[in-house]
Amino acid sequence: MLALALSALLAASTLTPATLEKRASHYVLQEYERVGRRAPQEDAHLTAAARHLAREALHDSPSGAVELLALTEAVSDAGGSDPSPRSYVVRAWVREHSLGTLMDRKDLNEEPATHMGVGAAVEGERASLVVLLADRKASLKPFPRTFDKPGGQSLCGELARPLRWPEVYVTLPDGRVERPALTRETGPSFCTRLFFPTKGRYTVEIIGRGAGGPEVAALFLVDVGSSHQRGQHEHVVEPTTEETTRPAVLARINALRQAHGLKPLVLDDTLNAVAQAYSERMAREGFFAHVAPDGEDLRRRLTSAGAHYRTAGENLGQAAGPLAAHFGIEHSPGHRGNLLGSQFERAGIGVAFQKLEGRDQAILTEVFTSSGQPTPDGEPEDPLEEAYRTLAAHRGALGLPPLKRNPVLEAIAMGHARRALELDQPRVELPGAKVHDRVFQALEQARSASVDFYVAESPSLLPNSRSLGDRKNTQVGVGAVRGDSRTYGKGQYWMVVIYAATR
């Protein structure tokens, strides 16, 4: 019996970090090949970040996933810029168990990934494994992550297809957001000059436009000051009460809106109460979702509070502090759409603080509304006509010629909207439903196509978009389906707008 126990111990101790990483990487590649997806390639930046996170996971980080701010720090310090790689964290008291737990997962291959990094750390017989998977949207030339003193340097890169129209934004240490001009732009390739005028931490974002609208293609942090060393940052002081959280978060929201030429939002006492009550309810009842377990959604919460609004939106975030939670919100495409909603005028912010497995956690709720009365529960006589009128008004305000309504595009848009509602996934790309392929197959004269997707209370709330303002687009088709969603609540319109430029 003693010999068997000794043999097992020796076998476990031969699992060095390098061996764990090699076997874990092999398993990840196998899982992608098993379902016929293209396997991601190993990336040095993601590997370095994964190893750093694995060392932290031995003592501090919970199993599951890494919160976005910590993930961004690790990837940035390693020289990478993937904005939100999927992360998988496994900790075990026995080394071989960490590998076994990872190999029990069958969800690693559910989403495409072009690059990956695997890191392992051991201490005695304890071990941790971290897997990072990224679908890379941009490639950047090497750029320093630390500067000893204020200064500037050129940044160059290239967006990955199908993203276009690069934009660069820099968030300064005081929360202000600047948009430096591009010094060169050739298709997806670009260069710009970044300036860091004071000491502190900066966030650099590269935005690209795709079929689903703008998205963060690259993201990294820059620390300026001689005291900053790689991996050692001056963390932002987090608010610790709801009273101090509101102005701090609102300042970040309005700084981003100002950089995009939008009017600032103002805090509303009723919306603050709605947001605060919902954060506290999620903390108290142990859930995190836009729709509560009893079916209560944002519309019901606003109506119960007596709020008057035309349209509304909601962002939820959770992290070690409210500003870290908002960091995750800012860099999530859907949440960012609410932050930059031109129709919104008022905001409410709520936060609940709690301990989770001995760690601090803040649950942040952000509510946005535009003025007016709630949209009636009844469906308009012709939702499609209302949507087309709204798009025509936006187009006319831009001084552009009207778009021609195309029944082929309309049929494709309607089918995609129905399928998305059925799956509860408001995405341009759905399993077995490639919108762009269908457009080019059905419309021979189509030269290019773009797609917008919205979930809103009324077709009249379709916002302006880059595709709508693209002079090359000449035809349009709209699909609008009203239905109930577990994620977005009852009676929402799921709307797909397809634009085409024809020969």
Side-chain angles (χ1 to χ4, degrees), residues 294-375:
D294 62 359
E296 180 192 64
D297 58 13
L298 177 60
R299 178 185 294 182
R300 194 194 304 178
R301 291 193 285 276
L302 291 171
T303 301
S304 298
H308 298 290
Y309 65 99
R310 172 64 175 169
T311 183
E314 182 179 64
N315 288 339
L316 303 179
Q318 57 181 346
L323 293 181
H326 180 73
F327 183 89
I329 287 172
E330 270 195 9
H331 300 101
S332 162
H335 292 99
R336 195 182 185 92
N338 279 336
L339 296 176
L340 298 177
S342 59
Q343 73 274 34
F344 294 136
E345 302 161 342
R346 299 181 177 276
I349 297 169
V351 62
F353 298 93
Q354 62 178 2
K355 290 283 188 180
L356 187 66
E357 297 181 359
R359 296 176 174 83
D360 293 330
Q361 184 184 61
I363 300 179
L364 183 68
T365 302
E366 302 170 349
V367 176
F368 311 96
T369 66
S370 58
S371 299
Q373 296 297 321
T375 302

Side-chain angles (χ1 to χ4, degrees), residues 217-346:
L219 170 70
F220 61 91
L221 307 174
V222 172
D223 285 295
V224 178
S226 57
S227 62
H228 291 287
Q229 301 296 324
R230 181 175 293 270
Q232 299 177 356
H233 304 293
E234 287 183 10
H235 292 282
V236 174
V237 177
E238 289 279 4
T240 56
T241 66
E242 61 186 85
E243 291 80 11
T244 54
T245 293
R246 289 191 181 111
V249 172
L250 183 68
R252 298 299 175 98
I253 294 172
N254 283 336
L256 184 65
R257 289 176 66 87
Q258 183 179 8
H260 287 262
L262 299 171
K263 293 181 179 179
L265 303 178
V266 296
L267 286 177
D268 180 275
D269 289 341
T270 300
L271 300 184
N272 282 338
V274 170
Q276 185 63 35
Y278 196 56
S279 284
E280 292 175 356
R281 180 180 180 183
M282 286 188 288
R284 184 173 61 251
E285 299 181 15
F287 71 93
F288 184 75
H290 291 286
V291 181
D294 62 359
E296 180 192 64
D297 58 13
L298 177 60
R299 178 185 294 182
R300 194 194 304 178
R301 291 193 285 276
L302 291 171
T303 301
S304 298
H308 298 290
Y309 65 99
R310 172 64 175 169
T311 183
E314 182 179 64
N315 288 339
L316 303 179
Q318 57 181 346
L323 293 181
H326 180 73
F327 183 89
I329 287 172
E330 270 195 9
H331 300 101
S332 162
H335 292 99
R336 195 182 185 92
N338 279 336
L339 296 176
L340 298 177
S342 59
Q343 73 274 34
F344 294 136
E345 302 161 342
R346 299 181 177 276

